[in-house]
Amino acid sequence: MLMRRTLLSSAIAQARGPFQRQHPLPPLCRLQPAGRVGTPRTQPSHSRFLTGQSGPPTPGNDAPNPVDDATEGQQEEKEDRSKKWKGTAFKMFESAATTGASIFILGLVGYSYTRYYKHMVLQKMENAFTPGDPVLELAAAGKEVPKEDMPHMLGAIPGSGEDDYDRWIQRDEQERINKIMRGEEKGRYHLLIGEKGTGKSSMLIEAMSKINGEGVAMMEAHADPEIFRIRLGRCLDFEFHEDNIGALFSIRGPRDASALLDIERAFNKLEKVALKRRVKVGRPLILIINQVHLIRDDENGRDLIELIQQRAEQWAASNLATVIMNSDKYWVYETLKQHATRMEVTQVSDLPKDRAMQALRNYRMKYWKEVTPPSILEEVYDKIGGRLTFLNRVAKSQDMIKKCDEICQMEKTWFLNNCAILGEEMDDDVMDQQKYASTAMVLANALYQRYKDMDIKYDPERGHILPEFPLHQARYIMTRSDFIRQHHNLSIFAIDSHAMVRADSVPMQRAFNEVCAEPGFEKFLEATLERIGDIESLGRTKELTLKDLWEGGKYKITTKDRKGNVDKEIEMEAVGKEDDDGDDD
């Protein structure tokens, strides 16, 4: 029965379909007019067909309203959208809050670490100037002196009979250096200059030991600015921010700069430490730069020296720190002199006779525990003078006189290896080297001639008196102004702070005397100079040769007037040189 109704309903719907599609108006429009016959019977079934409602209308099966359904869908859609926007906004706020909190915590940690790191940098640099210094420990180990005994360095030698034996020999310059170390001399920075082996570094270490290195830092210079930077950092206990973990916070790394900039940073930190120390202690810091002459005399080296000098001038003016520079070469003094305002220069030379003999006697007691007779001490001084490095080497040797002769021979060999001349037979390819060597021989001969003409060559109290020339006169004698610095760098000639040129040491002056006193030396030197002059003359002379005139050849020269007529004829032939007897070649 149910299947019949369903089939009947579908058949009726198929029959009505063509009729409804042919009607020009929509079905709802045909339901609107009232009073037409058949309307109450067709409207419910037609509307129920449109809405998809089946069966007769019942209280629970009313026909739905399309307008209400559309309104309800829009409201639900708006509610869904509002819920989605609220959820998205909350998530955005939550993410922003989390990110902001993370950035704030990260920034707070980075700021705190930076403040802590800067404080620790200054603290470590302050500790570098506390009592005790690695230089003193190395000096104590090298001299076999216990560290606790270093402020005095006194001790008796068994069997010497001298309880007041002192390894250290007091010099005239020592007291002034002690005052500088104690902070009694302010407002200046100092340059110690003198030949190598005269005891400049030893005086500085001795002055440091008297105050146990309190407020003093010492470093060794180097030609490479990078190594100089590392040594300065070790001296001041400054890492140049290389141990900083600021890279985790995207802070610029410390090695994005040159060595000079890092040295400037170290000096900035040192200046802050000096300001604190001046308030607490009232004494300036002492910074010692040893062997400044090792810095190369080029653009980078001069920039480094200029940087050090600028800081030294500034700190000396404000009594913050005192810079002491130690050098063996005169060019450092020339470089610093150009901009020096508060610089003090101290010349350190060889020991006088009495103190040199005392030093040798004390060295001999230390190494051999014996008392040396004064006659032998004086003979040793006559041979090598008062150079501390020579005296120390001689004292360590069992036969001191033999060691003195070896030192003199070594200096002579060094001089000849660098400045030997070749005479008139030399090749023109070695002319440049012979220019350098001949100028040294000329000056050495001039010092030898002055030594012979001196009235006083040896003073019983002072000892050796070496001949010397002013720097400008030495350049005039050499006929060159540039070679003297190279000779000075080779420790052949010495130039002091008063611009006086002399032999580098007593053994070197003895070498000059021996070489220049050889028979025929002056003729040999003159022949070398003439050969150098001839080679230079050949290099400056242009020679014109006409091969056609050789072996009796002739040139015929004819001159004509405007009309082409021969005006004059000239014949030219070569004529050979005449001998001393007047004959032709």
Side-chain angles (χ1 to χ4, degrees):
M1 189 67 178
L2 180 60
M3 295 177 61
R4 289 180 180 178
R5 289 183 180 178
T6 304
L7 295 173
L8 183 59
S9 299
S10 60
I12 295 173
Q14 292 177 0
R16 290 180 177 178
F19 175 76
Q20 291 175 355
R21 286 194 298 268
Q22 293 177 0
H23 203 282
L25 296 178
L28 292 178
C29 295
R30 290 185 283 111
L31 295 176
Q32 295 299 327
R36 298 183 67 178
V37 180
T39 299
R41 289 183 293 129
T42 58
Q43 181 175 356
S45 62
H46 187 68
S47 61
R48 290 167 64 85
F49 168 76
L50 292 177
T51 57
Q53 185 177 7
S54 61
T58 60
N61 192 18
D62 294 335
N65 190 349
V67 179
D68 295 338
D69 293 341
T71 304
E72 291 178 359
Q74 292 178 357
Q75 291 179 354
E76 292 178 357
E77 187 177 356
K78 288 181 179 179
E79 292 177 358
D80 293 341
R81 289 180 180 177
S82 62
K83 290 180 180 179
K84 290 181 180 179
W85 278 109
K86 289 180 180 179
T88 304
F90 178 75
K91 291 180 179 179
M92 292 174 61
F93 175 77
E94 184 179 7
S95 300
T98 303
T99 304
S102 302
I103 294 175
F104 175 76
I105 294 174
L106 186 62
L108 181 62
V109 171
Y111 176 77
S112 303
Y113 174 75
T114 302
R115 297 286 297 180
Y116 167 76
Y117 181 80
K118 290 183 177 181
H119 172 73
M120 290 303 299
V121 166
L122 298 179
Q123 187 66 33
K124 289 168 60 178
M125 192 170 289
E126 289 178 1
N127 294 335
F129 292 92
T130 54
D133 194 274
V135 176
L136 297 179
E137 297 179 1
L138 294 175
K143 296 179 175 60
E144 300 177 357
V145 178
K147 182 181 177 183
E148 56 271 12
D149 296 336
M150 287 193 63
H152 303 287
M153 293 184 182
L154 300 176
I157 298 299
S160 65
E162 297 185 8
D163 295 334
D164 59 343
Y165 162 73
D166 188 1
R167 180 201 60 82
W168 183 253
I169 303 301
Q170 190 73 15
R171 303 181 60 126
D172 297 336
E173 301 88 357
Q174 185 66 55
E175 183 59 30
R176 183 180 185 185
I177 295 178
N178 293 341
K179 291 182 180 180
I180 296 172
M181 292 292 182
R182 294 194 297 264
E184 298 178 5
E185 287 195 9
K186 305 177 182 178
R188 292 289 186 271
Y189 64 99
H190 301 268
L191 172 65
L192 301 183
I193 187 171
E195 296 80 19
K196 62 179 182 179
T198 54
K200 301 183 294 299
S201 300
S202 300
M203 284 196 300
L204 294 174
I205 295 175
E206 172 69 13
M208 288 177 61
S209 66
K210 292 183 180 300
I211 59 175
N212 199 18
E214 199 277 329
V216 183
M218 185 176 182
M219 65 164 293
E220 297 288 332
H222 195 271
D224 191 349
E226 288 290 344
I227 299 180
F228 187 95
R229 178 189 73 89
I230 294 175
R231 291 183 178 180
L232 179 63
R234 185 180 62 180
C235 169
L236 302 178
D237 199 6
F238 180 56
E239 299 292 339
F240 298 99
H241 303 285
E242 292 177 350
D243 57 345
N244 194 336
I245 61 173
L248 298 177
F249 310 108
S250 298
I251 299 176
R252 185 180 180 183
R255 294 305 299 132
D256 295 339
S258 61
L260 286 179
L261 185 55
D262 282 344
I263 295 172
E264 177 70 14
R265 290 173 177 172
F267 285 159
N268 290 337
K269 298 296 182 181
L270 179 60
E271 188 172 305
K272 294 181 180 179
V273 173
L275 286 170
K276 293 182 180 180
R277 179 179 174 83
R278 187 176 64 176
V279 176
K280 295 180 181 179
V281 182
R283 290 190 288 116
L285 294 175
I286 308 297
L287 177 61
I288 302 174
I289 304 177
N290 197 23
Q291 300 185 26
V292 183
H293 58 274
L294 295 180
I295 300 175
R296 292 192 182 95
D297 187 15
D298 54 7
E299 184 177 357
N300 293 331
R302 287 188 291 270
D303 291 342
L304 178 56
I305 292 180
E306 182 180 357
L307 174 62
I308 297 173
Q309 185 179 19
Q310 287 178 348
R311 288 292 184 167
E313 291 275 356
Q314 181 181 358
W315 293 340
S318 55
N319 293 328
L320 288 179
T322 300
V323 179
I324 301 177
M325 289 175 280
N326 180 15
S327 174
D328 298 346
K329 305 306 177 185
Y330 182 74
W331 75 266
V332 177
Y333 170 74
E334 286 183 327
T335 304
L336 294 174
K337 182 65 176 177
Q338 300 178 13
H339 306 287
T341 303
R342 297 176 176 86
M343 183 177 69
E344 293 288 339
V345 182
T346 302
Q347 179 70 37
V348 181
S349 56
D350 293 346
L351 290 174
K353 180 180 179 180
D354 55 347
R355 295 187 179 179
M357 294 174 62
Q358 180 185 357
L360 181 60
R361 182 180 68 252
N362 293 348
Y363 285 146
R364 195 68 176 175
M365 288 179 180
K366 175 183 176 182
Y367 298 131
W368 295 92
K369 296 180 176 58
E370 68 178 20
V371 179
T372 307
S375 59
I376 298 180
L377 296 178
E378 187 170 0
E379 185 179 358
V380 170
Y381 177 79
D382 291 342
K383 287 181 175 292
I384 61 174
R387 187 68 53 87
L388 279 175
T389 181
F390 294 157
L391 295 175
N392 192 15
R393 274 190 276 176
V394 168
K396 290 181 179 180
S397 178
Q398 186 174 3
D399 189 350
M400 292 192 294
I401 304 301
K402 180 180 179 182
K403 189 65 176 179
C404 291
D405 295 336
E406 291 178 358
I407 291 176
C408 294
Q409 183 63 32
M410 179 184 62
E411 293 296 304
K412 180 180 179 181
T413 303
W414 176 255
F415 172 60
L416 293 177
N417 287 345
N418 289 277
C419 302
I421 53 179
L422 302 179
E424 61 180 357
E425 301 298 331
M426 70 175 179
D427 191 84
D428 55 353
D429 294 334
V430 297
M431 186 187 66
D432 293 337
Q433 191 275 337
Q434 284 297 290
K435 284 183 180 179
Y436 165 82
S438 62
T439 54
M441 282 294 179
V442 169
L443 184 57
N445 187 41
L447 290 174
Y448 167 67
Q449 297 297 332
R450 170 161 288 197
Y451 180 79
K452 291 194 304 181
D453 298 339
M454 290 174 59
D455 297 332
I456 301 176
K457 305 175 184 178
Y458 188 89
D459 186 80
E461 296 181 359
R462 294 174 52 193
H464 292 281
I465 300 176
L466 299 181
E468 56 185 8
F469 290 105
L471 180 58
H472 67 278
Q473 188 175 353
R475 288 172 172 168
Y476 173 77
I477 294 173
M478 299 171 68
T479 67
R480 293 290 295 262
S481 61
D482 52 344
F483 286 153
I484 185 63
R485 176 178 290 187
Q486 301 179 31
H487 302 317
H488 176 49
N489 293 337
L490 291 175
S491 299
I492 296 175
F493 301 106
I495 308 175
D496 60 11
S497 59
H498 303 290
M500 300 299 293
V501 181
R502 60 177 178 272
D504 186 77
S505 61
V506 172
M508 186 59 72
Q509 181 62 46
R510 293 171 64 92
F512 293 167
N513 297 342
E514 292 179 6
V515 172
C516 298
E518 293 179 357
F521 171 77
E522 292 189 358
K523 292 183 178 180
F524 188 70
L525 177 60
E526 186 66 25
T528 303
L529 297 177
E530 289 181 0
R531 176 60 177 165
I532 293 174
D534 294 341
I535 295 175
E536 290 183 341
S537 178
L538 290 175
R540 293 191 297 262
T541 303
K542 301 297 182 182
E543 182 178 357
L544 179 62
T545 301
L546 301 177
K547 295 183 179 180
D548 297 335
L549 298 179
W550 295 356
E551 298 179 358
K554 296 182 180 180
Y555 279 124
K556 183 177 180 181
I557 302 174
T558 303
T559 59
K560 297 181 180 181
D561 55 11
R562 292 182 300 175
K563 297 181 179 180
N565 299 324
V566 177
D567 185 16
K568 183 169 49 175
E569 291 184 354
I570 300 175
E571 287 187 359
M572 183 175 62
E573 61 179 354
V575 179
K577 295 182 180 179
E578 295 182 356
D579 295 337
D580 296 338
D581 298 335
D583 299 334
D584 295 339
D585 291 343

